[in-house]
Amino acid sequence: MTMELKVIKKEKEKIIFTLNGINPAIANAVRRYVLEQVPTLAIEEVELSRNDSALYDEMIALRLGLVPLTTDLKSYNKKEECKCKGAGCASCQLVFSFKGKGPGAVYADAIETKDPKVKPAIPKLPIVKLLKDQEIKAEGIIVLNSGKVHTKFSPGLVTYRGYPSIKPGKNANIKKAVEECKGVLVAKGSSVEIKDIMQWNEAYEEICEKNGLEVEYSDEEFIFTAEAWGQLSIKEMLVEAMKIFDEKLEEFNKLIKKLK
């Protein structure tokens, strides 16, 4: 079966689309490769030289580490894959500084690096609140890694579900089901179709079953929801996931060829 992709809804950091012609294993592979394999930049080491805030140093470090940073995959390598063999160089790590003075909140945009391409994806993400004359100063290291090491490196979230179809039973009350679903379902003779898939949820499934309509979910067509945290665009996130997937398959293929 030929694969077919159709976009249902598209926003800046979120896209919903249907993908036909795959199976649950492939659908789950897309989800897992985005979460666990696609690399992004994140703060890995933090050293605070001053912290007058009410938060412990460890809490400040945690909050800084979870800030999504815009990522240029062409400019950085994972430390274990770098030519420096993990010693630390301009290709596998980036130094940052962070400072602020009260009164008021200090936001993620206080994180500064020498690479203009690397900056907080959510500039006004609050890190700490300082009172009058309180200060905070920190510096540290940003590295590239993937979600299988720590979830802070995950570029976003992908979920999927089988595309629903409805089959009226022998004693189905189609008219009542359509009325209770309030525009989500539409009757076509003796059959029923989902008019607005974006509104479909478990509540409508219960209404259908209560009125004798059976809901089945396809294992060949799926509805995907992909949401990016800001390190990469949704397209970059999905393309990189499939690139890594292809590389894993190629590696597996080479291993198979070595079998006698």
Side-chain angles (χ1 to χ4, degrees):
M1 182 182 291
T2 303
M3 285 194 293
E4 182 181 358
L5 187 150
K6 181 180 178 181
V7 176
I8 299 175
K9 185 177 181 180
K10 186 177 181 181
E11 300 174 357
K12 184 178 179 181
E13 301 295 346
K14 184 177 181 179
I15 186 170
I16 300 174
F17 60 92
T18 60
L19 186 57
N20 194 9
I22 61 173
N23 57 45
I26 297 297
N28 193 45
V30 174
R31 181 189 69 84
R32 293 194 62 175
Y33 267 73
V34 168
L35 291 174
E36 300 177 4
Q37 299 292 334
V38 176
T40 68
L41 292 169
I43 292 173
E44 180 73 358
E45 298 178 17
V46 179
E47 182 178 343
L48 284 104
S49 56
R50 183 167 182 174
N51 179 16
D52 299 332
S53 76
L55 298 181
Y56 292 118
D57 289 0
E58 293 83 358
M59 185 58 68
I60 298 293
L62 173 64
R63 294 177 71 84
L64 288 172
L66 293 175
V67 174
L69 301 174
T70 55
T71 300
D72 180 12
L73 293 176
K74 296 180 181 178
S75 300
Y76 297 93
N77 304 311
K78 291 183 179 180
K79 277 197 169 186
E80 63 269 24
E81 299 172 359
C82 191
K83 293 180 180 179
C84 72
K85 297 181 180 179
C89 67
S91 295
C92 65
Q93 67 178 33
L94 178 64
V95 175
F96 81 92
S97 64
F98 174 78
K99 60 182 179 180
K101 187 174 182 179
V106 185
Y107 298 96
D109 58 9
I111 298 172
E112 296 182 353
T113 73
K114 291 184 178 180
D115 186 347
K117 293 181 180 179
V118 181
K119 55 187 177 181
I122 308 173
K124 291 305 176 183
L125 189 68
I127 304 299
V128 64
K129 187 174 182 179
L130 300 175
L131 300 179
K132 184 180 179 181
D133 296 328
Q134 288 186 336
E135 291 186 53
I136 190 166
K137 291 181 181 179
E139 60 181 22
I141 302 296
I142 295 169
V143 301
L144 186 77
N145 221 319
S146 55
K148 67 178 180 180
V149 173
H150 194 289
T151 191
K152 67 183 179 182
F153 293 106
S154 291
L157 179 67
V158 173
T159 60
Y160 69 92
R161 55 191 170 121
Y163 201 98
S165 60
I166 301 172
K167 293 184 178 181
K170 185 177 180 180
N171 299 315
N173 191 335
I174 295 176
K175 183 179 179 180
K176 187 177 180 182
V178 171
E179 288 176 353
E180 291 185 7
C181 286
K182 299 178 181 179
V184 176
L185 295 183
V186 58
K188 290 193 174 182
S190 60
S191 64
V192 180
E193 292 183 3
I194 298 173
K195 183 179 179 181
D196 188 353
I197 194 63
M198 290 296 298
Q199 293 189 44
W200 178 261
N201 56 42
E202 292 181 356
Y204 295 114
E205 181 177 350
E206 290 180 4
I207 291 173
C208 288
E209 292 177 347
K210 182 180 68 175
N211 288 286
L213 284 76
E214 183 181 356
V215 181
E216 296 181 350
Y217 290 91
S218 174
D219 58 2
E220 293 183 350
E221 184 176 10
F222 300 87
I223 303 170
F224 281 86
T225 300
E227 185 173 359
W229 304 148
Q231 301 100 316
L232 303 169
S233 68
I234 294 177
K235 183 177 179 180
E236 288 175 323
M237 184 175 77
L238 294 172
V239 168
E240 186 66 19
M242 293 303 94
K243 177 185 173 183
I244 297 171
F245 186 48
D246 286 343
E247 290 172 354
K248 295 288 186 182
L249 289 177
E250 182 61 30
E251 182 181 354
F252 182 52
N253 187 43
K254 290 179 181 178
L255 291 173
I256 292 176
K257 289 181 179 178
K258 291 180 180 179
L259 294 177
K260 294 182 179 180

